[in-house]
Each structure stands twice: as structure tokens, then as C-alpha cells.
Amino acid sequence: MLPSRFLLTPHCPTAPAPTPTPTHPGGARSPGSVALRFGSPGGVRLRRGRGSAAVAMASDGRVERIASSIRAIPNFPKPGILFQDITTLLLDPQAFRDTTDLFVERYKDKDITVVAGVEARGFIFGPPIALAIGAKFVPIRKPKKLPGEVISEEYSLEYGTDKIEMHVGAVQPNDRVLIVDDLIATGGTLCAAAKLIERVGAKVVECACVIELPELKLTHATMRISCMNKGQMNLTL
Amino acid sequence: MGEEANCDAVMEAGNGNGKAKENGHATAVLAMPDVKADDAVVAPADPRLQGISDAIRVVPHFPKQGIMFNDITTLLLRPGVFKDAVDMFVERYRGMGIAAVAGIEARGFIFGPAIALAIGAKFIPLRKPKKLPGEVISETYVLEYGTDCLEMHVGAIEPRERVLIVDDLVATGGTLCAAINLMERAGADVVECACLIGLPKFKQLGPMQDFYKLNGKPVYVLVESLEYEK
């Protein structure tokens, strides 16, 4: 049973009235992503992922501080979009430390061998987790940034496509991978990252994001539901 | 990375005791946490530096012919070595009253936050144009062909706050100069710039020391790469 959530909708720059959790086919959503949700000030809810670690987090005061440190910028990068800016979280050393600690506590006993971070904000949150749990860090980058041999995965945008790349050999078939980004909206980028990992024969254990934007994901509900399988983001587009 | 015209990038660096390796591998330099820039004291190389140097791979002709690219992603695949690199910076900067670590997009984002977390400082991302939402200040700088631009959020740093600037590598120093300028325009006190790798493009013969200087600010590097052709 999901707790009710107070959501900031992307197209509503002023503080909204609380919005009940929309229902949609498929019931529980993205059991594979642990997102620290936030909403109107004072209304912070942690949505439960699989596993008992999430239960302890729900009453953890750290989540409130983290949520309140994130600022929303209206009409960025274009009109109608409410941008969730984590740079203010990074200016609060305690909140940043708490964010890392919460992820480390969840993943340290899951035999994660690789943390893959999606350029560029995944580069901020991923490496501290990797360092703390003794995992490799693998950057997943925009095209032409990685030197040497790469594999690429193209994915759809609202208009057109984009592409991300990973070094050949960075991830091995027996690796257990955590994918990290600051935010999940449609899941397109995380999907593409998961595909890269799976193409080299490794396993995506989970995707971890600081922020989830559930409203945007509703437009791709069928995509997400058909793909969710034991917490892995195996999206079939 | 290209030539910078506006920045006084006088680099003074010395050869360390580190073993020079063949085939394009980086040479370890001394890390001397207690030595001031003007001293010429020699100390034994930190044993962690060899592993750091060995973990960096040089990729020829990237992004274009003639450039030997120093790739730190292979270091990130060795958790112990990645940790050593971060630890060496943390040991140096802990206790120096540094309020903020600024990291240059994108590879400065990989190293800067871990240092910031360990020393209890804020992390400030310095980004390419139009990535940061809200109010920013911008610094344009000169490349070999054309210009580039670095941005920082207004209010990220307060006047007189002590700041460390981090990137994976310093070549001409153009990007680091732009970062220093951003900080100083905001009234901050740049304590030092820290990079894993230094390319001694403007290295001058001088006393044995492993500090570069950019705009009068010291640049601290862990390893020096001699394999760089333009």
C-alpha cells in the first residue's frame, strides 16, 4: 500500500494543494527505484521500494532535510517545466552527506560491484556511493566524450533521439550494477543505461535517484509497467 | 583544451623522484603536503602515487590527431586506487578551513564531491552554459580555436569563503583560470586548484617543487604526464 503523496506537479509553479496518488494499471510502481520523494514544504513521503531498508527510511528525519534542500525553478529549461535543482542540496553538507548515507545504507550489503552514473549529475551522486561500498565507478556519457572503444545506446526524446555511451570492458558479465542519476522523469535515460549494462551481460540490481517525477512518468505508464521485473529497469521501448 | 590568452599561466613545476615510465605512462610526482610553494625540500614519494599513475591510461589521438588523452576512467575501475586519490586530496585539504569545493564539469564532478563530503564543505558545480537553472554568473575564456564559457550559480559562494577548485586534469590552465575568475568575481578566496594530472605545458626549469601557479594561485597535482603532443 503506497502512502498518499503531496506532489509538486511540473506545470504548477506555485505551491499546490495536496494531490492524492493517481492510480493506474499495474498497481505498485517502479519497485526497482528508491526515490526520495518530496512535495509541498513539510509534506515528505518516501515511497517504499522492495526490501526492508525502505521501512526504516520512512521515519528517518534525514529525508525531510534532503527534500527541503532541493529547490524548484519554474520555466526551466523551457516554459511550463518546473526544474528540480539539486545544487542547493549540494550546498548543504549535512543534506549531501545524508543523501549519500541513505543510499550507502541501502546498497552496502547487496554485493554491488559497479556504480554507473549518468552524465552529468549522476557523476555527483554516484562516486561517493561507489567509494563507500567499494565498487567500481563507470561513467555513462553523452556521445564522443569517452576516449577509446565504446558501446552506444540510442533512446527517444519527446522530439527526436539522444544517445549515451559506455566504455567497452568497463562492465563485465558477472558485475552487479547500480545505476545512479539525480532525477528520473520519463525513465528514458535510465532505460538506455540499463540496456547498455545488459548488453554486456551484466545485471542491473537497481536504479537509484534522489528525485522522482511521477507526473511525467504517467504519460509513459505502459512503458514502465511492461518492463518492471523484480526491481530491474528492463524497459522494452 | 587550448591556449589561453588572458590568463597569466606561469607554471613552475619540478620533477619528482617518481619513476618515469615508457610508452606514454604518467610520471609520478612528489606529493608533499607540508611543503609550501617556495620551499625546495624533497621528500620520498607517497607509495599510493604509483598505483594512481599506473591506473591512468593514455589514449592516442583523442579527441583529435596529435593529442595523447589522459583517461581517468580506468582509475575509477580500481576502487582502491580511486579511494587513494581522493584520500590524498582529503589529507591535504582537511583542516584548512575550506568552505566549498568547486568542481568543473564533468570530470571535476567525479572527484570534487567526494572531497567535499570528507572535509565537510559545500560542493559547487561549475558548468557549461545553460545547464544551471536560475541566476548564474558566466566567464568566457579563450580556446585554441574560439571561446568557451563556464557558469556558476549566483549565491553558491559567499564573499571571503575559502574555496578549492577541482578538475581531473590541467593542461593549459584556461578552464581553471576561468574558474578562478568566477570565484574571485564572487569575492571568494581561492586557496588552491587540485587536479589528478598535470600536463607541464608551461613548465619552467626551477627549483624542485611540485606546484604550478595560475593567476598566482597554486595548482596541486598528484601525477604529471609527459606524454602530450599538440
Side-chain angles (χ1 to χ4, degrees), chain B residues 16-172:
Chain B
N17 287 345
K19 203 169 28 167
K21 289 163 63 182
E22 301 306 317
N23 300 328
H25 291 271
T27 301
V29 294
L30 303 176
M32 299 188 288
D34 300 325
V35 175
K36 298 182 186 48
D38 298 326
D39 287 5
V41 175
V42 174
D46 189 303
R48 293 173 289 186
L49 286 173
Q50 190 61 57
I52 291 168
S53 173
D54 289 347
I56 296 164
R57 81 169 167 168
V58 178
V59 180
H61 309 301
F62 184 90
K64 48 190 203 222
Q65 283 294 115
I67 296 186
M68 306 295 279
F69 186 90
N70 283 268
D71 179 19
I72 49 86
T73 64
T74 38
L75 181 150
L76 306 174
L77 296 178
R78 302 188 195 183
V81 179
F82 185 14
K83 182 176 186 306
D84 284 346
V86 171
D87 285 350
M88 289 187 71
F89 289 127
V90 169
E91 288 161 19
R92 178 176 181 78
Y93 297 114
R94 178 179 278 147
M96 284 178 69
I98 289 173
V101 174
I104 298 179
E105 172 166 18
R107 289 184 290 265
F109 289 6
I110 296 176
F111 299 97
I115 300 168
L117 284 164
I119 67 175
K122 314 188 266 197
F123 179 72
I124 300 174
L126 302 182
R127 298 210 68 174
K128 296 282 156 74
K130 300 193 180 36
K131 301 292 185 75
L132 292 171
E135 210 188 341
V136 298
I137 57 171
S138 301
E139 179 78 15
T140 301
Y141 59 105
V142 178
L143 297 173
E144 189 177 11
Y145 301 108
T147 63
D148 208 338
C149 184
L150 210 56
E151 294 187 340
M152 176 171 72
H153 267 139
V154 169
I157 196 82
E158 307 274 331
R160 289 176 301 283
E161 279 191 317
R162 289 163 60 77
V163 63
L164 169 71
I165 301 173
V166 172
D167 206 354
D168 66 322
L169 179 149
V170 54
T172 63

Side-chain angles (χ1 to χ4, degrees), chain A residues 71 73 76-77 83 85 87 90-93 96-98 100 113 119-121 123-125 127-128 130-131 134-139 141-142 144-149 167 169-171, chain B residues 57 59 62-63 69 71 73 76-79 82-83 86 99 105-107 109-111 113-114 116-117 119-125 127 130-135 153-157:
Chain A
R71 75 171 172 171
I73 306 272
F76 184 91
F83 187 90
D85 181 19
T87 64
L90 306 174
L91 295 179
D92 179 346
F96 188 15
R97 186 174 318 124
D98 288 344
T100 303
T113 57
E119 171 167 17
R121 291 184 289 265
F123 288 8
I124 296 175
F125 294 99
L131 285 163
K136 303 186 278 188
F137 179 73
V138 172
R141 299 211 65 174
K142 299 279 157 70
K144 298 192 178 43
K145 302 291 186 75
L146 290 170
E149 211 187 340
H167 266 138
V171 176
Chain B
R57 81 169 167 168
V59 180
F62 184 90
F69 186 90
D71 179 19
T73 64
L76 306 174
L77 296 178
R78 302 188 195 183
F82 185 14
K83 182 176 186 306
V86 171
E105 172 166 18
R107 289 184 290 265
F109 289 6
I110 296 176
F111 299 97
L117 284 164
I119 67 175
K122 314 188 266 197
F123 179 72
I124 300 174
R127 298 210 68 174
K130 300 193 180 36
K131 301 292 185 75
L132 292 171
E135 210 188 341
H153 267 139
V154 169
I157 196 82

Side-chain angles (χ1 to χ4, degrees), chain A residues 85-125:
Chain A
D85 181 19
I86 48 84
T87 64
T88 42
L89 182 162
L90 306 174
L91 295 179
D92 179 346
Q94 188 62 53
F96 188 15
R97 186 174 318 124
D98 288 344
T99 305
T100 303
D101 287 351
L102 281 165
F103 286 131
V104 169
E105 285 162 23
R106 179 174 178 81
Y107 296 112
K108 65 178 163 52
D109 297 322
K110 289 191 159 59
D111 295 316
I112 307 280
T113 57
V114 171
V115 173
V118 180
E119 171 167 17
R121 291 184 289 265
F123 288 8
I124 296 175
F125 294 99

Side-chain angles (χ1 to χ4, degrees), chain A residues 133-177:
Chain A
I133 66 176
K136 303 186 278 188
F137 179 73
V138 172
I140 298 196
R141 299 211 65 174
K142 299 279 157 70
K144 298 192 178 43
K145 302 291 186 75
L146 290 170
E149 211 187 340
V150 298
I151 57 170
S152 304
E153 181 74 26
E154 205 168 346
Y155 61 104
S156 299
L157 300 172
E158 193 180 9
Y159 301 106
T161 61
D162 208 339
K163 194 155 76 160
I164 50 173
E165 296 184 338
M166 182 171 80
H167 266 138
V168 168
V171 176
Q172 300 297 315
N174 57 346
D175 275 321
R176 289 171 53 79
V177 183

